[in-house]
Amino acid sequence: MINAADSSFKIAAPFSIAGAITHESLGATKEEKKQALKQISKQLGKLQDKMYANNRYSVLICLQGMDTSGKDSLIREVFKYFNARGVNVYTFKQPTSRELKHDYLWRHYVALPEKGKFAVFNRSHYENVLVTRVHPEYLLNENLPGMDTVEDVPADFWQQRFKQINNFEKHLAENGTIILKFFLHISKEEQRQRLLRRLNKKSHNWKFSPADLDERGFWEDYQKYYEEAINNTSKPHAPWYAIPADDKKAARYLVAKTIYDELLKYDIREPEVDDEVMENINLYKRKLSTENPD
């Protein structure tokens, strides 16, 4: 039997990416992990139905991780038993020309979940302090005032972005959005093996892009900037969790169990039935039971 996920993956103190584990087997077989995920995912789906009826909270799930860290398959498996109306998934890639006409948070604002619903950001607003930091030339596409070259980026620019993101998330949390952020932490060797599998397995060739190898060359930069971003933005109202992701099945379970455990801390319950309905419920039953069918 798999033990329940605990708070050991929640980041509350200074986070060292080098000191965080990338592999966790949960002491279980593949089949045990599969069944445990199925059970907790079904419970999550039922809880979302209750949240939809409650119409008080929304949930924002942010998934970040290096290429091949398992974000897509995690979304497929963790949210498999949700009512389709209860969850929306957004993948944020290179900004479009329309999106670049707005500030960098705009496209994330318009994708935020309604009350009673989940939104899953497959990559998120954190790309704006990760990819653009590794490749600062991308910032020039935003056409920011006073920034015509990479050399024009102010010394405090990234700290200002962390502040803006913290303010963005605090505003959401204060207005009923539950925010949970997951860093799927894989090892460089595991990424190498997964990229090789994409090349070796014909049915997975389409998943491979030469750009994956280009970005792999910036591995150490990404690790450094992930660590800094997480340390600057893991807050009580919007915590980060560093999930060991070398074992995909364990990672999926840990994310699902964490979401479920966190949601249980909130007063999410079905609305009270109207007094008149309760008083006359037997009458309504009799009327429907004795009604002549057409």
Side-chain angles (χ1 to χ4, degrees), residues 209-274:
S209 168
D212 296 337
L213 294 183
D214 294 337
E215 289 302 286
R216 182 172 166 80
F218 295 100
W219 182 275
E220 296 305 325
D221 289 334
Y222 275 109
Q223 300 299 291
K224 174 183 176 182
Y225 296 137
Y226 261 112
E227 181 176 290
E228 188 169 339
I230 290 170
N231 275 318
N232 277 277
T233 60
S234 191
K235 306 294 182 182
H237 60 271
W240 274 103
Y241 297 83
I243 302 296
D246 283 359
D247 182 326
K248 285 188 176 183
K249 286 182 170 57
R252 294 165 189 164
Y253 172 79
L254 287 171
V255 169
K257 188 65 165 61
T258 298
I259 296 171
Y260 183 74
D261 287 348
E262 289 299 314
L263 292 186
L264 289 182
K265 297 176 182 178
Y266 292 83
D267 183 24
I268 300 173
R269 53 186 172 178
E270 294 171 350
E272 296 291 334
V273 179
D274 183 87

Side-chain angles (χ1 to χ4, degrees), residues 48-49 51-52 59 82-88 113 116-119:
Q48 193 281 319
D49 280 340
M51 192 179 81
Y52 185 86
V59 180
F82 272 52
N83 187 311
R85 70 182 180 181
V87 59
N88 292 306
K117 293 188 177 183
F118 276 61

Side-chain angles (χ1 to χ4, degrees), residues 174-191:
E174 289 175 345
N175 286 275
T177 299
I178 301 167
I179 305 170
L180 300 171
K181 302 176 296 192
F182 297 93
F183 169 52
L184 302 184
H185 187 26
I186 64 168
S187 64
K188 193 173 184 180
E189 173 59 18
E190 178 63 21
Q191 188 196 60

